[in-house]
Amino acid sequence: MRVPLSWLREYVDLPATETGRDVQAKLISAGLEVETVEQLGADLKGPLVVGQVLTIEELEGFKKPIRFCTVDVGQANGTGEPQEIVCGARNFQVGDKVVVVLPGATLPGGFSIAARKTYGKTSHGMICSSDELGMGDDGTHGIIVLPPETEVGKDAIELLELVDEVLDIAVTANRGDCLSIRGVARETAIAYGLPLRDPALIDVPAPNAYGYPVQVTDPFGCDRFTARTVTGLRPEARSPIWLQRRLQKVGMRPISLAVDVTNYVMMELGQPLHAYDRSLVQGTIGVRRAQEGEKLVTLDGVERTLHAEDLVITDDRGPIGLAGVMGGANTEIADLPQSRLRSTGGTPMVTEDGVNGTSDVVIEAAHFDAVSIARTARRHKLLSEASRRFERGVDPQAAAAAAQRTVDLLVLLAGGTAEAGVTEIIAPPAPHTITLPAGHPDKVAGVDYGRETVVRRLQQVGCDVYGQDELLVTVPSWRPDLVDPNDLAEEVIRLEGYENLPSTLPKLPSGRGLTHRQRLHRRVGRALAGAGYVEAPNYPFVSEQVFDQLGLEADDPARRVVKLVNPLSDEEPALRTTLLPGLLGALRRNDGRGSHDLALFETGLVFLPREESHGATHLPVDRRPTDEEIAALNAALPEQPRHVAVVLAGAREQAGWWGKGRPADWADAVEAARAVAREAGAELIVRKGQYGPWHPGRCAELVVAADGAERVVGHAGELHPRVLKALGLPERTCAMELDLDALEAVGDGVPQAPGISTFPVATQDVALVVDKPVPAVEVEAALREGAGELLESIRLFDVYENAEQLGEGRKSLAYALRFRAADRTLTVDEASAARDAAVALAGERTGAVLRG
């Protein structure tokens, strides 16, 4: 809401020394968010005067039309001689009054004016448009043409009110009253402790039986409808300069007198109005719900198909307006641009092409249901200044005053006659009263305000307050947001000043740090970051089509998803059951932007629906929920285990003077899983597997053992080429995903310090020949068990395949075994015996034989 300070001063006698910045500080302290204070005309310097065009000479030989004009500016130029000015605009003619800026002046933006030679002539100044003066859009997109009665030589800065301050207020959804000068003036008066001249307090005639006929068939949707009629308006009458300038300052474009007046009153009082051309309204004006499929062409020229919940204004033909949103084109006020008027017997009443101007209007001032208007505006994607106010709450008691104010302005500015008939249909709700303990604001704020302060502040807001310890508060009609005692307490607190509230920091209990689960998550993140991975958190929303792209089977449990009732995007209505879609999407985006060597990781929750679905219960807000209610709510939630996943593409080690580098492969994904397992203190079994998006020949199944049973907790390896193609990923992309909660459950969370022996290590290498299908992990497990307690570590350092030397279908696995004792130096015989025992057990379990 834009509020000119000059307009605000009409209703509040602010000290003359108060600036827009001062008012901004006061309103912010009172709880209104004043974003900026715009200084209109701050860098404008005259002379800027009214001139009358005497002659116009068309200059030929240029690419665009150029005119050489002489303009009478009176004595403003010091000589009284006509001012010679070159101008390219064409929306004015000889005899018109225009705005002229003379040499020595400065226009907004620091543009200095001086006499200069252009197009073969010397131009002594400029004839100005509204844009050049920083006035905003006046609808002409050309030179400002002033009314004929404007005095030549008059100071245009004062005439056009070019110097002003405008407060730009971000009005919250609950403060619809502040979408008007009246509402902001009330807040300003309270903030300064000054009286308010309420523009809605005017004499309004009582309703009678002579008004325009109106029938409201939906009193819930429209509980108040006021209709007034004005006849005999001069169609050629134009909005005066002061009215146009106020509309421009609040951000609206002047259109025609009748429309400008309704907009002006709306901005002044906050009550949207609409003016109908009486000659185009057929029969009784009605208010009802639309019939499904009815059509209406609104003022923006768009034909709209109406919904059965839309509230419409009708006449005998059908809808003539979308209630509270926008009027219909079939009763639009006919505007007569000055350039199209011709005289008919002395009074211009019709245009040159025979179009009649509007001389009789019916004024509508109604109060509509806020929810209905909000739904209609969004359903038709038609947000207007009127709907913006109705959906936030409009003062129903202001409708009659707004209609009277509109009638008075039309009579004053267009010479019309207000008909005696007044139509007012009212189905008013009972006044809203709230019982408030006098000490309730004190308890909420932790400040001792006292009863007198509470009563005074509520009365300033407009409430009627009765009672002593228990206050009976009647809420004013312009504050529909005040519905319970806490709302009233907030009014007292904000007016007393939020900055005066005491700041009390909560006392944190000592001796509590991170939980074991939190520490594990942090260790895993640090370990992966230390290994060169970059964390890439993603939104937990997915589309169900992504499971087809990942190649999951039709009965895969990961396809069972939790769907959102109100998703942020219709394309992603489900919660993820795997971290891979988000991570792979991040990898694809980065690869598409030129980052080809990528290693990303994420830890986050996945959402698995329970076997039995329970509806969520509504918890009470007036007390703490019981343990049973909380348990019932938790039972309705999906299971949410935490997973960890990584994705890799491009080079894992960069090439340089140090070496050739190497690309990322499946082994890097497996190693990331091992790093996570080490942080969890869990023993991870890695063996050949086959699942979903992974390449069947390059997929590792990740298993943990608990209570004598094995459990698959994830997979790692290279993704299938079909998946890469479906998702647009780089070749040889690898991925890993683990159930981190499952690792935590089987892991030993106690950090284990490494045992350091002072005795030397004994190294023994063995090369074992096995069948190709035998997994290396099984051979390693047998070697580890057979070697016994003396084995310190084991490492596979070579895999060799050669049919001529090893035989068809055979491979050689070379391991380095390190033996060490904690209390002595091992002999060669002891190390060899341990090695032989390891080879013997490997041969027994896997059929391995020593090579050579």
Side-chain angles (χ1 to χ4, degrees):
M1 176 69 191
R2 291 171 56 85
V3 180
L5 189 60
S6 59
W7 198 349
L8 195 62
R9 288 182 182 276
E10 284 198 7
Y11 310 125
V12 183
D13 289 327
L14 294 172
T17 56
E18 287 294 285
T19 66
R21 297 290 185 188
D22 299 329
V23 177
Q24 177 189 29
K26 286 283 189 179
L27 292 180
I28 289 177
S29 178
L32 292 185
E33 185 180 350
V34 185
E35 293 185 330
T36 61
V37 178
E38 183 179 354
Q39 305 288 336
L40 300 183
D43 51 356
L44 176 64
K45 186 179 73 172
L48 189 73
V49 299
V50 176
Q52 183 172 21
V53 180
L54 301 178
T55 64
I56 297 177
E57 177 187 351
E58 301 289 346
L59 302 182
E60 305 293 341
F62 299 103
K63 292 182 179 180
K64 60 179 181 179
I66 298 296
R67 311 166 93 186
F68 181 66
C69 311
T70 59
V71 184
D72 178 15
V73 295
Q75 296 298 318
N77 58 3
T79 65
E81 296 294 325
Q83 200 79 2
E84 296 179 340
I85 298 175
V86 176
C87 184
R90 309 192 66 78
N91 68 313
F92 64 94
Q93 56 191 0
V94 173
D96 283 346
K97 302 289 181 64
V98 295
V99 178
V100 179
V101 57
L102 300 177
T106 302
L107 293 182
F111 182 57
S112 298
I113 303 299
R116 64 189 183 97
K117 190 169 183 179
T118 179
Y119 297 103
K121 301 285 187 178
T122 299
S123 181
H124 299 272
M126 285 175 54
I127 301 176
C128 297
S129 67
S130 59
D131 288 339
E132 291 164 340
L133 296 179
M135 295 171 55
D137 185 11
D138 62 356
T140 63
H141 303 290
I143 294 302
I144 302 171
V145 178
L146 301 171
E149 64 273 13
T150 310
E151 179 186 352
V152 172
K154 184 178 179 62
D155 184 1
I157 295 179
E158 178 183 351
L159 175 69
L160 299 178
E161 301 177 14
L162 296 179
V163 178
D164 203 349
E165 294 181 277
V166 178
L167 285 71
D168 194 350
I169 303 175
V171 179
T172 55
N174 65 317
R175 293 302 305 272
D177 61 305
C178 288
L179 287 174
S180 66
I181 304 297
R182 178 196 184 201
V184 177
R186 182 181 293 109
E187 291 295 318
T188 305
I190 295 173
Y192 278 91
L194 298 172
L196 169 71
R197 288 188 292 274
D198 192 342
L201 295 181
I202 58 177
D203 292 333
V204 177
N208 52 53
Y210 311 110
Y212 198 93
V214 175
Q215 182 178 12
V216 177
T217 59
D218 189 343
F220 175 80
C222 175
D223 57 14
R224 184 181 294 266
F225 194 106
T226 300
R228 300 289 301 275
T229 304
V230 181
T231 61
L233 299 175
R234 299 193 310 273
E236 75 279 6
R238 286 291 167 269
S239 301
I241 293 174
W242 64 267
L243 178 58
Q244 295 185 42
R245 287 297 294 134
R246 286 196 168 176
L247 290 177
Q248 288 174 328
K249 289 177 184 179
V250 298
M252 304 191 76
R253 179 172 63 88
I255 298 174
S256 64
L257 178 60
V259 176
D260 292 350
V261 167
T262 57
N263 285 337
Y264 177 85
V265 175
M266 176 180 67
M267 301 307 295
E268 182 182 54
L269 301 181
Q271 168 67 52
L273 303 107
H274 190 71
Y276 300 95
D277 188 329
R278 183 176 180 179
S279 65
L280 300 179
V281 179
Q282 299 181 10
T284 300
I285 292 178
V287 183
R288 62 170 171 82
R289 297 289 172 174
Q291 299 175 8
E292 189 69 36
E294 273 189 305
K295 306 287 185 180
L296 171 67
V297 179
T298 46
L299 288 173
D300 57 0
V302 178
E303 183 180 67
R304 304 184 184 276
T305 301
L306 304 180
H307 188 274
E309 291 185 3
D310 291 336
L311 198 65
V312 293
I313 311 298
T314 65
D315 64 3
D316 291 348
R317 297 165 296 176
I320 60 173
L322 205 53
V325 180
M326 185 174 286
N330 50 1
T331 56
E332 181 180 7
I333 298 292
D335 181 27
L336 296 182
Q338 197 73 30
S339 61
R340 298 173 59 208
L341 293 174
R342 64 178 175 85
S343 178
T344 57
T347 303
M349 293 296 292
V350 296
T351 61
E352 295 173 356
D353 49 9
V355 177
N356 291 310
T358 298
S359 58
D360 301 340
V361 298
V362 178
I363 305 299
E364 164 208 311
H367 184 262
F368 301 111
D369 175 58
V371 174
S372 176
I373 300 305
R375 288 177 176 172
T376 295
R378 283 155 180 76
R379 185 181 299 120
H380 294 282
K381 296 181 175 59
L382 187 60
L383 302 180
S384 63
E385 291 289 345
S387 68
R388 184 182 175 210
R389 284 160 175 79
F390 276 124
E391 67 185 39
R392 285 166 171 78
V394 168
D395 181 6
Q397 303 292 340
Q404 182 63 45
R405 179 80 165 123
T406 304
V407 169
D408 292 343
L409 287 172
L410 288 175
V411 170
L412 174 67
L413 301 176
T417 300
E419 289 195 351
V422 177
T423 302
E424 192 163 12
I425 297 177
I426 305 175
H432 181 51
T433 59
I434 302 172
T435 300
L436 174 73
H440 183 65
D442 299 9
K443 293 180 180 179
V444 173
V447 177
D448 186 13
Y449 292 125
R451 178 187 176 279
E452 291 185 2
T453 299
V454 171
V455 172
R456 174 172 57 85
R457 288 302 190 183
L458 292 179
Q459 288 175 339
Q460 287 178 334
V461 171
C463 299
D464 291 330
V465 186
Y466 302 96
Q468 292 298 320
D469 295 335
E470 288 286 329
L471 303 179
L472 188 64
V473 182
T474 302
V475 174
S477 59
W478 57 82
R479 291 299 301 274
D481 58 306
L482 303 180
V483 295
D484 60 38
N486 287 329
D487 293 330
L488 299 178
E490 182 182 0
E491 290 300 295
V492 175
I493 294 168
R494 76 174 182 87
L495 294 178
E496 284 295 304
Y498 291 122
E499 68 276 8
N500 296 322
L501 292 177
S503 177
T504 305
L505 296 178
K507 295 181 180 179
L508 297 178
S510 60
R512 294 185 181 182
L514 297 176
T515 65
H516 171 67
R517 188 168 188 246
Q518 291 170 329
R519 288 195 296 271
L520 172 60
H521 297 164
R522 294 195 179 189
R523 290 202 308 272
V524 167
R526 285 195 294 265
L528 291 175
Y533 292 86
V534 176
E535 188 171 15
N538 294 282
Y539 289 116
F541 313 116
V542 296
S543 66
E544 294 183 86
Q545 289 75 18
V546 76
F547 300 123
D548 296 328
Q549 297 171 322
L550 290 176
L552 299 185
E553 299 291 339
D555 58 348
D556 194 298
R559 285 183 176 270
R560 293 186 63 241
V561 296
V562 177
K563 291 187 177 180
L564 299 173
V565 176
N566 55 341
L568 295 180
S569 169
D570 292 336
E571 296 179 356
E572 296 180 331
L575 293 174
R576 66 189 179 191
T577 57
T578 168
L579 301 181
L580 289 184
L583 267 183
L584 293 174
L587 185 141
R588 180 180 61 248
R589 287 190 297 273
N590 283 276
D591 181 72
R593 287 162 174 76
S595 298
H596 303 302
D597 303 324
L598 296 163
L600 309 177
F601 84 93
E602 179 182 9
T603 60
L605 302 180
V606 298
F607 305 85
L608 309 178
R610 300 181 185 272
E611 294 297 331
E612 296 183 4
S613 177
H614 301 280
T617 58
H618 293 283
L619 297 181
V621 296
D622 58 342
R623 59 175 174 81
R624 183 187 184 280
T626 64
D627 294 340
E628 292 76 14
E629 289 171 332
I630 295 175
L633 181 62
N634 289 332
L637 299 177
E639 295 181 12
Q640 301 175 50
R642 184 174 291 271
H643 281 201
V644 58
V646 304
V647 293
L648 304 101
R652 185 68 176 129
E653 295 178 3
Q654 295 290 337
W657 58 266
W658 53 86
K660 295 181 180 180
R662 68 173 182 85
D665 61 17
W666 62 269
D668 294 304
V670 173
E671 180 56 31
R674 287 196 172 105
V676 172
R678 284 194 296 270
E679 295 298 329
E683 184 177 351
L684 194 65
I685 302 172
V686 180
R687 64 191 181 199
K688 183 179 179 180
Q690 182 174 346
Y691 177 70
W694 280 277
H695 193 295
R698 298 166 187 161
C699 175
E701 188 176 71
L702 309 175
V703 180
V704 295
D707 299 327
E710 291 186 347
R711 175 184 174 186
V712 178
V713 294
H715 294 84
E718 183 179 315
L719 297 182
H720 199 289
R722 285 198 299 267
V723 174
L724 302 181
K725 183 178 180 181
L727 294 175
L729 299 171
E731 293 183 357
R732 311 304 290 268
T733 297
C734 301
M736 178 278 292
E737 183 167 11
L738 272 174
D739 186 337
L740 192 53
D741 285 354
L743 281 179
E744 180 188 3
V746 301
D748 184 1
V750 179
Q752 297 294 329
I756 301 175
S757 173
T758 59
F759 297 96
V761 67
T763 302
Q764 297 274 355
D765 293 345
V766 294
L768 303 178
V769 179
V770 296
D771 292 336
K772 284 186 178 180
V774 176
V777 67
E778 294 184 8
V779 178
E780 180 181 328
L783 289 172
R784 188 182 299 277
E785 183 178 345
E789 296 180 354
L790 294 179
L791 181 67
E792 182 179 79
S793 66
I794 182 172
R795 179 174 62 89
L796 174 67
F797 66 85
D798 184 52
V799 178
Y800 178 69
E801 296 179 5
N802 188 312
E804 294 181 0
Q805 296 183 16
L806 303 177
E808 193 69 33
R810 305 279 280 176
K811 64 182 177 181
S812 171
L813 304 176
Y815 292 90
L817 285 71
R818 292 168 56 91
F819 298 98
R820 195 193 311 256
D823 57 350
R824 67 188 186 281
T825 299
L826 294 176
T827 66
V828 174
D829 291 340
E830 287 177 312
S832 298
R835 180 203 62 191
D836 293 342
V839 172
L841 187 58
E844 178 183 337
R845 290 188 177 178
T846 66
V849 297
L850 281 171
R851 179 180 170 189

